[in-house]
Amino acid sequence: MENETTETRGRILEAAAVVFAEHGYAATTIRMICGRAQVNLAAVNYHFGNKERLYREVLLYARSCAYDRYPPTYGLADGAAPEQRLHAFIRSFLLRTSCDERNLGFGTLVMRELVEPTTALDMLIDEGIRIMFGQLVDIVRPLLGEQVEEELVLACARSIISQCLFYLFSRPVIRRMAPEQKFNHEDVEMITGQIMFFSMHALNGISESRCRRERPHA
Amino acid sequence: MENETTETRGRILEAAAVVFAEHGYAATTIRMICGRAQVNLAAVNYHFGNKERLYREVLLYARSCAYDRYPPTYGLADGAAPEQRLHAFIRSFLLRTSCDERNLGFGTLVMRELVEPTTALDMLIDEGIRIMFGQLVDIVRPLLGEQVEEELVLACARSIISQCLFYLFSRPVIRRMAPEQKFNHEDVEMITGQIMFFSMHALNGISESRCRRERPHA
Amino acid sequence: MENETTETRGRILEAAAVVFAEHGYAATTIRMICGRAQVNLAAVNYHFGNKERLYREVLLYARSCAYDRYPPTYGLADGAAPEQRLHAFIRSFLLRTSCDERNLGFGTLVMRELVEPTTALDMLIDEGIRIMFGQLVDIVRPLLGEQVEEELVLACARSIISQCLFYLFSRPVIRRMAPEQKFNHEDVEMITGQIMFFSMHALNGISESRCRRERPHA
Amino acid sequence: MENETTETRGRILEAAAVVFAEHGYAATTIRMICGRAQVNLAAVNYHFGNKERLYREVLLYARSCAYDRYPPTYGLADGAAPEQRLHAFIRSFLLRTSCDERNLGFGTLVMRELVEPTTALDMLIDEGIRIMFGQLVDIVRPLLGEQVEEELVLACARSIISQCLFYLFSRPVIRRMAPEQKFNHEDVEMITGQIMFFSMHALNGISESRCRRERPHA
DNA sequence: TATGAATGAGCCTTCATTCAT
DNA sequence: AATGAATGAAGGCTCATTCAT
């Protein structure tokens, strides 16, 4: 065959991503997935072995879809300044984890994995989260000025990434408290601006205060 | 009698809070709860009607326990300055949602509810989250200077609360990436400091930039 | 309650013995058992934990039923001669393992366990088969005369017990080759006679030949 | 071509014999067989129609293998005396049903069929067991002297064959009670000797007692 | 001739819930 | 107030078999 994966296998994968994202691993039944994918109940077992292995493949599949669409350098020209790179990082992060259907629920899946870790979390950390956080650290470091302690860089990176995660985790709350927010693309631009606004003021403030301390008599 | 709750009922409540926090609503079985509480399997349905109603009562119970121990003004003298009030807010938030057993898993329970909302989330929002967030907004507003738009205050409050939530959500990841972090009381003090450091620089920077724009010729 | 076991539990036990004997462990479904016992499908799990534990209890239950009805000394007066004791041993063995319904399929169950051993076989050997065989050895020994080597006693005991087992294992064949055989009580008496006839001639012959060898000049 | 069986078909047959012998008909899955034979999962149904027909062919195949290696006259010269013919019969029976791999589990397969008869048992009886038993009867008859009733001959033949079967059926028990027994070729010679010893004493004793009764005044 | 893909049936087990006491 | 017994529903998984190629 030309296509390396069966059509059935692909249909299961797409359906499973949506259902797992919507209901979580435990509450998702194989029957739900097969019903949505319009395939036989035993197909999951045939193609993936069992529910858990299907879940792991779904995580990888959704991640690759989301990252292919929105890499951390999304919309960024080569040789961009650190501030622009931070902007692109935040924006692509939000887009990647938004509930756009074509992300296959990637954001929600990871979020669920954080709250109810399975063995798949180690996989996500080792092959994704660690790298992603490292990229952020490399972006933040030059923004803090020269010779800044690594621990401070890490703390600032955490403060920034936490603001991005907030719009992932608090989506249900915001949807209830402010239903007019839709988290569509315009909202993402606005939220990116707010996070940038707050964070750049913080980083600049920190950078300046360290300069003053460094050269107090200047 | 004043204490309308029997001992059995109380034992179920305490056991259920821990088990629900550890395994989540769906993965928790009534057998687990009754086993831990050393009561009969039918006791849950007798005292609480069904699993869902027990869960709602558990949320309320855990919240009241955590809030009683760590109110938002925890360790704060009357008439404190805004910056001190922000410090107390952040610190009490972290302590309240830490995994100290006496919090009965309150932080984890809320976090799970965010990821897998049930009808109980509305209850939590209306009777808790909204108030808590309002308190933060009232603390942040004066820190941003006079006549600042409410939308900006809200955005800053979100940026601050998101940093507090981060240490709740990313606990499993941090536990894997940096196992030396224990989230005990010393860690809370340190984290509070980091969040304050980043946020005060941001708030001060924003405040200053607005002053300059307001009175450019001064 | 007065009766120590529930009625449901007892009904399951009796039904399971029959069905396990008829179809074997693997081919027996819990549905068959519950259907026959007229109880809910989950009752097996409630009362016995799982299929395997039920099976072990069935083995013990059927054995105690069969042994209570036909102990190795069945129909034997105290101080009987060795030949009479052998007769009683063989007869009670055949009766115990016959397909009389009140034996709850004990013979068939053990036979199946021999062919398809599970962990339950160790239990049967340690608590039953070993003792039973030891009793036979103690009966055979005096029949072989004085100072006979133990290995010879064991070999003769095996030859005798094998004839008893034959009517257990070859029942399906005999039923097909000689359908007039019913293995009812009269048949058991006749078969006992045949086994005794063959075996006593063998034992007597062995005993005599050893006497001649011992005292060749006598 | 002369060899109408393909290589795949042959591989399945050999693998199936071993697996059926080891696990029994019900517990054997087609996956096990195809896995062992290194053929596609659908090959069984393609070559044999279904599991049951494969099983029947396996029985026939294993029997022909075992009988070709160890015919009832194995190691016997023409015109041998009845006692020698009995010795050869017993010895070849034990060898044929031993667990030597080249017997393809024939003994175990027949034993399982006795315990869990399928329609294949009729086939085995009509085409094998009946003939085999008739041969034994013809050997035993002259050993009992002249003009002996046929029913007595049959009973003695049953007593002898039962001793041979014993070492087939009680293998799991013996393996647990006396693990040093390996049922290799030396063991077969020894066991043959024991069965002969016991049985010849019996047959001789019966024969003599009948002579005495026949000619009491001699 | 041979196979990868797919399927429908069924099994063991678990669970929340209810009932009779 | 509390409990042991019982139940109906459903879930994950396995299996023999079939189909299209």
Side-chain angles (χ1 to χ4, degrees), chain A residues 26 116, chain B residues 19 23-29 32 51:
Chain A
E116 185 75 33
Chain B
V19 181
H23 299 96
Y25 179 79
T28 294
T29 70
M32 289 179 192
K51 187 181 174 185

Side-chain angles (χ1 to χ4, degrees), chain A:
Chain A
M1 305 293 168
E2 283 183 35
N3 46 342
E4 51 182 326
T5 66
T6 336
E7 195 208 328
T8 298
R9 188 186 152 93
R11 279 226 304 280
I12 292 174
L13 222 38
E14 303 240 351
V18 177
V19 181
F20 276 133
E22 192 170 36
H23 298 95
Y25 179 78
T28 294
T29 72
I30 292 185
R31 279 168 177 81
M32 286 180 196
I33 295 170
C34 293
R36 187 177 229 272
Q38 298 267 53
V39 301
N40 183 274
L41 184 60
V44 163
N45 215 267
Y46 177 76
H47 284 285
F48 299 92
N50 57 24
K51 186 182 172 185
E52 193 189 330
R53 279 208 284 273
L54 166 61
Y55 176 66
R56 291 174 73 98
E57 295 241 27
V58 161
L59 282 183
L60 296 177
Y61 181 59
R63 186 177 63 183
S64 76
C65 286
Y67 264 93
D68 285 351
R69 294 185 68 210
Y70 303 112
T73 56
Y74 183 69
L76 192 65
D78 285 347
E83 183 168 344
Q84 289 171 310
R85 290 171 60 210
L86 180 60
H87 182 92
F89 180 92
I90 294 171
R91 183 160 162 261
S92 66
F93 187 99
L94 293 177
L95 287 169
R96 199 157 56 233
T97 57
S98 79
C99 33
D100 184 329
E101 273 212 349
R102 281 175 294 178
N103 284 330
L104 285 176
F106 172 63
T108 311
L109 288 170
V110 173
M111 176 178 68
R112 287 184 177 280
E113 193 63 26
L114 292 185
V115 171
E116 185 75 33
T118 70
T119 56
L121 180 54
D122 292 310
M123 182 181 75
L124 290 178
I125 290 176
D126 290 341
E127 301 173 18
I129 294 177
R130 208 184 293 271
I131 294 167
M132 179 272 294
F133 189 71
Q135 292 169 334
L136 176 58
V137 168
D138 289 339
I139 293 171
V140 169
R141 194 180 294 109
L143 287 167
L144 281 171
E146 296 168 355
Q147 292 182 332
V148 62
E149 313 92 40
E150 194 63 13
E151 182 51 41
L152 178 58
V153 181
L154 294 176
C156 289
R158 283 198 293 268
S159 285
I160 292 170
I161 200 77
S162 67
Q163 294 173 74
C164 301
L165 281 170
F166 179 77
Y167 290 92
L168 183 55
F169 281 106
S170 58
R171 207 178 285 158
V173 177
I174 294 175
R175 196 170 290 159
R176 279 166 172 78
M177 290 177 68
E180 70 281 5
Q181 287 261 33
K182 293 290 178 218
F183 287 103
N184 49 21
H185 275 226
E186 296 102 70
D187 287 330
V188 165
E189 304 301 334
M190 188 195 66
I191 295 169
T192 306
Q194 289 176 353
I195 297 176
M196 278 297 288
F197 183 73
F198 189 87
S199 301
M200 285 309 299
H201 273 292
L203 295 175
N204 288 335
I206 294 170
S207 180
E208 282 172 25
S209 74
R210 297 186 64 81
C211 288
R212 276 197 301 279
R213 208 190 314 163
E214 206 93 323
R215 288 172 280 168
H217 42 74

Side-chain angles (χ1 to χ4, degrees), chain C residues 30 48 52 58 88 92 103 125 134 139 141 165 190 192 203-204 216:
Chain C
I30 292 185
F48 299 92
E52 192 189 331
V58 162
S92 66
N103 284 332
I125 290 175
I139 293 171
R141 194 181 296 109
L165 281 170
M190 189 195 66
T192 307
L203 295 176
N204 287 336

Side-chain angles (χ1 to χ4, degrees), chain C residues 48-81:
Chain C
F48 299 92
N50 57 25
K51 187 183 172 183
E52 192 189 331
R53 279 208 283 274
L54 167 61
Y55 176 66
R56 290 175 73 97
E57 296 241 25
V58 162
L59 282 183
L60 296 177
Y61 181 58
R63 186 177 63 183
S64 77
C65 286
Y67 264 93
D68 285 352
R69 292 185 69 210
Y70 303 112
T73 56
Y74 183 68
L76 192 66
D78 284 347

Side-chain angles (χ1 to χ4, degrees), chain C residues 20-201:
Chain C
F20 276 133
E22 192 171 35
H23 299 95
Y25 178 79
T28 293
T29 71
I30 292 185
R31 276 172 178 79
M32 288 179 195
I33 295 169
C34 294
R36 187 177 230 272
Q38 299 268 51
V39 301
N40 183 274
L41 183 60
V44 163
N45 214 269
Y46 177 75
H47 285 284
F48 299 92
N50 57 25
K51 187 183 172 183
E52 192 189 331
R53 279 208 283 274
L54 167 61
Y55 176 66
R56 290 175 73 97
E57 296 241 25
V58 162
L59 282 183
L60 296 177
Y61 181 58
R63 186 177 63 183
S64 77
C65 286
Y67 264 93
D68 285 352
R69 292 185 69 210
Y70 303 112
T73 56
Y74 183 68
L76 192 66
D78 284 347
E83 185 168 343
Q84 289 170 311
R85 289 171 60 210
L86 181 59
H87 187 276
F89 181 92
I90 294 170
R91 183 160 163 260
S92 66
F93 187 99
L94 293 176
L95 287 169
R96 200 158 54 232
T97 58
S98 79
C99 34
D100 185 327
E101 273 211 351
R102 281 175 293 178
N103 284 332
L104 285 176
F106 172 62
T108 311
L109 289 169
V110 173
M111 177 178 68
R112 287 183 177 282
E113 192 63 27
L114 292 185
V115 171
E116 184 75 31
T118 70
T119 55
L121 180 55
D122 291 310
M123 183 180 75
L124 289 179
I125 290 175
D126 290 341
E127 301 173 17
I129 294 177
R130 208 185 292 272
I131 294 167
M132 180 271 296
F133 189 71
Q135 291 170 336
L136 176 59
V137 168
D138 289 340
I139 293 171
V140 169
R141 194 181 296 109
L143 287 168
L144 282 172
E146 295 169 357
Q147 291 181 331
V148 62
E149 311 92 40
E150 195 63 13
E151 183 52 42
L152 178 59
V153 180
L154 293 176
C156 290
R158 283 198 294 267
S159 285
I160 292 170
I161 200 78
S162 68
Q163 295 172 74
C164 301
L165 281 170
F166 180 76
Y167 290 91
L168 183 55
F169 279 106
S170 58
R171 206 178 286 159
V173 177
I174 294 176
R175 196 171 289 159
R176 281 166 172 77
M177 290 176 68
E180 70 280 5
Q181 286 262 31
K182 292 292 177 216
F183 286 102
N184 48 21
H185 274 226
E186 295 101 71
D187 288 330
V188 166
E189 303 301 333
M190 189 195 66
I191 294 169
T192 307
Q194 290 175 352
I195 297 176
M196 277 298 287
F197 184 73
F198 189 88
S199 300
M200 283 310 298
H201 273 291

